[in-house]
């Protein structure tokens, strides 16, 4: 294989050896799996191996004799990550962005080929020298990475769907939070949850439709919870066909055993039809993912696809889609169990045993969901940040105003995606902290630290995050107030106070932060210009998942899980401090906390 180092053409002693070497070189050149183009100083292509011709889908006469720039223009190569040599017009030299073309360049790019459409290649462009070190031409080495690129895109799509999923999970209401429309339609929380999950997957997976079923009883009777991409009439038809019908009436015993063993089942309805007739809505293939909880099959997650798009059922579903279906089925099982426990808790009037069971499974769900979603979220955030850096770098180099405008339009959704990923990252961190608090595993590392410095740094961070807002800071005369504390956790508390104060105050209103020394403790307070809180809300606001009803966000994002103040209280109380709020409806609110001063 041609490498990335400079290549020299060596004069050999014997003409016989020269001919033999040429034969060996030609044989190796022809047998390479990577496409290779060799061109002269003037950029004229003089050699193209079989792999290159097959990669582009062309005959040799369509390549040889053309300049590589003409050929690339015909193929509509995208802007490559590496810079290609530019052939000079007034003298037989190669230039490289006004610099000598001396070393190999490498990078990814996309090419529109005649045979395969758009493909992605890893391109190496390098100069060729003779034995005396004179530049005599160059070569291009093209390695097809389309399959790898497609896999990365599918993986990113799966991660994005998980990000959307956690947003929907956070918004699934309990019985007491149902909308008027949901009440009028008689929808229970478990149906609302099933429909929300079906909608998410239908948006991110290319499929005909999605079904979510719950199973109950020893004979596993079906209950349709939600559908995606089906009309209202089709959903009603499916519900009438399947409601209270045993699973065995549709799926054979062998596949039921696989589902109970927590295996995903792929079905081709033409080769393996349902046990009894059942509407297919024009889709031949099925991916059936089991929802298993406590070794019991409690539901099914189904993705249907059409035979017109795929030659076989195994081709219809990618590895990423199967992995995504498994993850979603696992999370859906936890959601179904959570909602069932919520309904049971409401029915039994919050009996102690039901409440303990609810908390146990709900905390289990939070812990599993948070851990499983943090890694893909980090990947998504990293990819978006990388794309933004590349876009901004290109915009700085580009002089065309029209293209600048187009790139700015691309930057807006990328900025929004980054902002949303940061919000989701904060939500996942809150979920993990809440789970650790419930399990009594929240780690607090105390050591002597300066509370003045902690407060000053938190205010600086908030000013940087909201540069258009006014945050006024009042500090004591002393430069140092020593406390035995976990500085990061105390900073987390103050940042949460500041975030809420900015969120619920109008943009032109300032926020006031005060640090004061009292007899044996230090007091930190944050005063806003928000709508104020009722006495009832003041008593509830420190509880887990509580969000004050009827309070509108005035600034920034309204996304929240109602965990921030709950976590703040736990952190401060673990430091032997206190939290509190002074507020009246229609007036400002002041949230405060105290910490004992360190003994000198």
């Amino acid at each position: 294989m041609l490498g990335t180092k400079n290549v020299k053409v060596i004069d050999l002693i014997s003409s016989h050896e020269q001919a033999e070497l040429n034969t060996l070189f030609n044989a190796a050149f022809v047998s390479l799996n990577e496409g290779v183009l060799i061109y002269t100083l003037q950029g004229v292509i003089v050699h193209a191996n079989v792999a290159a011709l097959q990669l582009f889908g062309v005959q040799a006469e369509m390549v040889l004799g053309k300049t590589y720039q003409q050929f690339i223009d015909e193929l509509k190569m995208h802007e490559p990550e590496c810079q290609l040599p530019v052939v000079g017009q007034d003298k037989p030299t190669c230039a490289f962005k006004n610099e000598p073309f001396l070393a190999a360049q490498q990078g990814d790019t996309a090419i529109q080929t005649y045979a395969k459409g758009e493909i992605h290649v890893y391109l190496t462009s390098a100069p060729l020298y003779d034995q005396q070190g004179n530049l005599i031409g160059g070569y291009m080495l093209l390695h097809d990475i389309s399959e790898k690129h497609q896999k990365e895109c599918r993986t990113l799509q799966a991660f994005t769907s998980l990000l959307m999923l956690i947003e929907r999970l956070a918004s699934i209401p309990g019985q007491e939070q149902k909308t008027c429309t949901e009440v009028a339609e008689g929808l229970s929380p478990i149906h609302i949850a099933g429909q929300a999950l079906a909608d998410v997957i239908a948006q991110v997976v290319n499929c005909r439709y999605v079904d979510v079923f719950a199973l109950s009883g020893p004979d596993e009777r079906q209950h349709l919870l939600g559908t995606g991409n089906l009309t209202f009439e089709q959903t009603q038809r499916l519900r009438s066909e399947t409601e209270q019908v045993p699973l065995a009436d549709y799926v054979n015993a062998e596949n039921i055993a696989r589902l109970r063993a927590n295996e995903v089942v792929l079905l081709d309805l033409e080769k393996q039809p349902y046990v009894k007739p059942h509407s297919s809505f024009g889709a031949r293939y099925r991916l059936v993912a089991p929802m298993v909880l406590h070794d019991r099959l409690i539901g099914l997650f189904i993705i249907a696809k059409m035979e017109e798009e795929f030659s076989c059922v195994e081709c219809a579903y990618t590895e990423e889609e199967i992995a995504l279906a498994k993850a979603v089925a696992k999370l859906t099982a936890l959601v179904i169990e959570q909602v069932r426990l919520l309904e049971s808790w409401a029915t039994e009037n919050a009996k102690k045993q039901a409440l303990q069971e609810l908390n146990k499974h709900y905390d289990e769900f939070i812990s599993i969901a948070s851990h499983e979603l943090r890694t893909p979220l980090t990947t998504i955030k990293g990819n978006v940040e990388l794309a933004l850096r590349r876009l901004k770098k290109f915009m700085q180099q580009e002089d065309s105003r029209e293209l600048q405008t187009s790139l700015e339009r691309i930057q807006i959704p990328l900025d929004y995606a980054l902002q949303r990923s940061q919000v989701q990252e904060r939500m996942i961190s809150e979920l993990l902290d809440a789970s650790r608090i419930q399990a009594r595993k929240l780690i607090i590392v105390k050591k002597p630290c300066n509370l003045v410095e902690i407060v000053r740094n938190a205010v600086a961070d908030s000013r940087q995050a909201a540069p258009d807002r006014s945050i006024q800071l009042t500090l004591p005369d002393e430069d140092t107030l020593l406390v035995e504390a976990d500085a990061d956790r105390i900073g987390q508390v103050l940042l949460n106070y500041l975030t809420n104060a900015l969120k619920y105050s109008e943009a032109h209103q300032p926020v006031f932060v005060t640090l004061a020394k009292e007899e044996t403790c230090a007091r930190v307070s944050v005063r806003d210009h928000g709508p104020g809180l009722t006495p009832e809300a003041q008593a509830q606001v420190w509880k887990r998942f509580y969000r004050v009803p009827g309070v509108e966000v005035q600034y920034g994002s309204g996304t929240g899980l109602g965990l921030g103040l709950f976590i703040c209280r736990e952190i401060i109380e673990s430091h032997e401090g206190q939290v509190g709020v002074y507020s009246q409806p229609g007036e400002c609110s002041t949230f405060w906390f105290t910490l004992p001063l360190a003994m000198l």
Side-chain angles (χ1 to χ4, degrees):
M1 180 187 297
L2 289 174
T4 60
K5 296 183 178 179
N6 298 342
V7 178
K8 292 187 178 181
V9 179
I10 302 173
D11 294 333
L12 300 179
I13 298 174
S14 165
S15 60
H16 173 74
E17 291 174 339
Q18 177 74 55
E20 183 179 358
L21 183 60
N22 287 341
T23 301
L24 292 172
F25 173 78
N26 290 332
F29 184 71
V30 170
S31 63
L32 280 174
N33 291 327
E34 285 79 9
V36 182
L37 300 178
I38 298 178
Y39 52 87
T40 66
L41 274 177
Q42 291 72 33
V44 178
I45 300 173
V46 292
H47 290 290
N49 70 344
V50 174
L53 299 177
Q54 292 176 346
L55 186 68
F56 300 134
V58 297
Q59 301 296 322
E61 56 269 19
M62 297 174 65
V63 181
L64 302 180
K66 292 184 178 180
T67 67
Y68 79 82
Q69 189 63 51
Q70 289 174 334
F71 186 60
I72 285 174
D73 290 343
E74 290 179 4
L75 295 175
K76 299 178 181 178
M77 178 185 286
H78 294 192
E79 183 75 16
E81 291 184 355
C82 67
Q83 296 173 303
L84 301 179
V86 180
V87 178
Q89 297 180 353
D90 56 345
K91 55 184 178 179
T93 59
C94 284
F96 178 66
K97 292 291 183 180
N98 297 323
E99 296 177 3
F101 181 50
L102 302 176
Q105 299 291 321
Q106 297 176 314
D108 296 351
T109 187
I111 298 177
Q112 190 69 30
T113 67
Y114 294 100
K116 303 178 182 178
E118 184 176 273
I119 63 172
H120 287 259
V121 298
Y122 185 75
L123 184 149
T124 299
S125 179
L128 289 172
Y129 299 89
D130 63 14
Q131 190 174 9
Q132 288 72 39
N134 299 316
L135 181 66
I136 62 173
Y139 73 87
M140 286 188 185
L141 180 67
L142 303 106
H143 179 65
D144 190 349
I145 58 172
S146 299
E147 184 177 348
K148 176 184 176 183
H149 177 78
Q150 292 171 1
K151 185 173 182 180
E152 289 175 349
C153 290
R154 291 195 300 265
T155 302
L156 181 59
Q157 182 186 45
F159 289 162
T160 303
S161 67
L162 287 175
L163 178 62
M164 294 176 62
L165 180 61
I166 192 171
E167 285 191 304
R168 297 303 297 267
L169 290 175
S171 64
I172 292 173
Q175 187 71 38
E176 72 285 354
Q177 297 173 299
K178 288 168 44 176
T179 66
C180 295
T181 302
E182 291 160 352
V183 172
E185 294 177 353
L187 296 177
S188 68
I190 197 169
H191 285 87
I192 298 170
Q195 185 59 56
L197 294 165
D199 287 339
V200 170
I201 299 305
Q203 290 176 26
V204 299
V205 176
N206 179 26
C207 62
R208 172 65 184 86
Y209 66 90
V210 174
D211 295 336
V212 180
F213 285 94
L215 302 175
S216 65
D219 52 355
E220 295 164 332
R221 294 184 176 271
Q222 301 172 96
H223 310 280
L224 183 63
L225 300 183
T227 63
N229 290 345
L230 289 182
T231 65
F232 176 78
E233 291 75 15
Q234 289 173 328
T235 300
Q236 292 302 102
R237 178 180 169 187
L238 182 63
R239 178 171 281 111
S240 65
E241 289 180 356
T242 58
E243 188 64 27
Q244 294 289 348
V245 176
L247 181 61
D249 282 8
Y250 293 114
V251 182
N252 63 35
E254 178 184 353
N255 285 326
I256 290 179
R258 293 177 60 194
L259 292 170
R260 289 172 179 166
N262 207 11
E263 295 181 23
V264 171
V265 173
L266 300 181
L267 295 177
D268 182 338
L269 297 185
E270 187 172 298
K271 298 179 179 179
Q272 195 175 19
Y274 288 126
V275 176
K276 292 184 178 180
H278 180 7
S279 297
S280 63
F281 303 112
R284 172 177 167 180
Y285 304 132
R286 296 288 186 282
L287 182 155
V288 186
M291 302 177 201
V292 177
L293 196 64
H294 308 309
D295 298 324
R296 183 170 61 89
L297 184 64
I298 68 166
L300 302 173
F301 194 86
I302 301 172
I303 301 176
K305 293 194 176 186
M306 303 171 66
E307 63 179 316
E308 289 84 356
E309 301 179 27
F310 305 96
S311 59
C312 64
V313 67
E314 289 79 11
C315 305
Y317 301 95
T318 66
E319 293 180 4
E320 291 76 21
E321 287 176 338
I322 294 174
L324 175 63
K326 287 181 178 179
V328 172
K330 183 176 181 179
L331 293 175
T332 306
L334 291 167
V335 172
I336 289 175
E337 185 72 2
Q338 170 212 351
V339 175
R340 280 177 171 169
L341 288 169
L342 278 170
E343 291 179 317
S344 172
W345 170 73
T347 302
E348 297 295 327
N349 196 23
K351 289 184 177 179
K352 183 177 180 180
Q353 183 178 1
L355 182 59
Q356 290 175 344
E357 192 73 3
L358 170 65
N359 288 331
K360 174 185 175 183
H361 288 287
Y362 195 70
D363 289 333
E364 179 185 359
F365 157 69
I366 290 174
S367 179
I368 293 175
S370 300
H371 281 288
E372 290 196 1
L373 295 176
R374 168 160 279 186
T375 297
L377 178 61
T378 302
T379 302
I380 295 168
K381 183 180 176 183
N383 285 335
V384 172
E385 290 175 338
L386 178 61
L388 275 169
R389 286 197 297 270
R390 290 180 176 176
L391 180 63
K392 291 176 181 177
K393 181 180 179 181
F394 184 78
M395 289 172 67
Q396 293 171 355
Q397 299 172 348
E398 183 57 49
D399 296 329
S400 169
R401 182 57 192 167
E402 181 179 351
L403 184 55
Q404 282 276 359
T405 303
S406 300
L407 293 174
E408 287 171 359
R409 292 174 181 169
I410 297 173
Q411 183 179 352
I412 292 173
L414 285 174
D415 284 332
Y416 178 75
L418 181 59
Q419 179 188 5
R420 295 302 304 162
S421 68
Q422 291 169 342
V423 171
Q424 296 308 310
E425 189 176 47
R426 176 177 56 80
M427 291 170 62
I428 291 175
S429 295
E430 288 183 351
L431 285 169
L432 281 170
D433 279 344
S435 177
R436 291 170 183 146
I437 289 171
Q438 291 299 107
R440 301 182 183 277
K441 294 181 179 179
L442 185 67
I443 298 175
I444 302 290
V445 180
K446 298 179 184 179
K447 60 182 180 180
C449 51
N450 185 4
L451 187 56
V452 175
E453 183 179 346
I454 295 172
V455 172
R456 188 182 286 120
N457 290 341
V459 170
D461 290 344
S462 294
R463 285 171 174 166
Q464 184 177 4
D468 56 332
R469 296 298 299 272
S470 172
I471 303 176
Q472 299 185 20
L473 174 61
T474 302
L475 295 173
D477 295 334
E478 297 93 334
D479 292 331
T480 302
L481 288 180
L482 285 179
V483 292
E484 284 283 338
D486 186 323
D488 291 336
R489 289 297 185 181
I490 300 303
Q492 177 184 347
V493 172
L494 184 51
L495 283 173
N496 188 280
Y497 279 18
L498 281 164
T499 300
N500 287 343
L502 293 169
K503 183 187 298 185
Y504 296 110
S505 298
E506 295 182 359
H508 68 278
Q509 295 286 1
V511 169
F512 299 90
V513 180
T514 302
L515 170 59
K517 179 181 178 182
E518 298 182 351
E519 294 182 359
T520 59
C521 68
R523 178 182 293 266
V524 180
S525 60
V526 177
R527 179 164 62 90
D528 61 35
H529 283 274
L533 299 172
T534 65
E536 294 79 10
Q538 294 179 47
Q540 300 290 325
V541 76
W542 304 99
K543 293 185 177 179
R544 191 170 58 144
F545 299 115
Y546 180 80
R547 290 186 289 185
V548 181
V551 176
E552 296 183 359
V553 173
Q554 302 294 323
Y555 179 86
S557 171
T559 304
L561 301 175
L563 290 172
L565 291 177
F566 164 76
I567 296 170
C568 289
R569 185 191 67 182
E570 295 293 329
I571 291 174
I572 295 301
E573 290 183 354
S574 70
H575 286 77
E576 301 177 2
Q578 294 180 335
V579 298
V581 57
Y582 302 123
S583 183
Q584 290 184 359
E587 299 183 8
C588 61
S589 298
T590 300
F591 284 82
W592 56 267
F593 67 84
T594 62
L595 290 174
L597 294 171
M599 300 296 293
L600 298 178

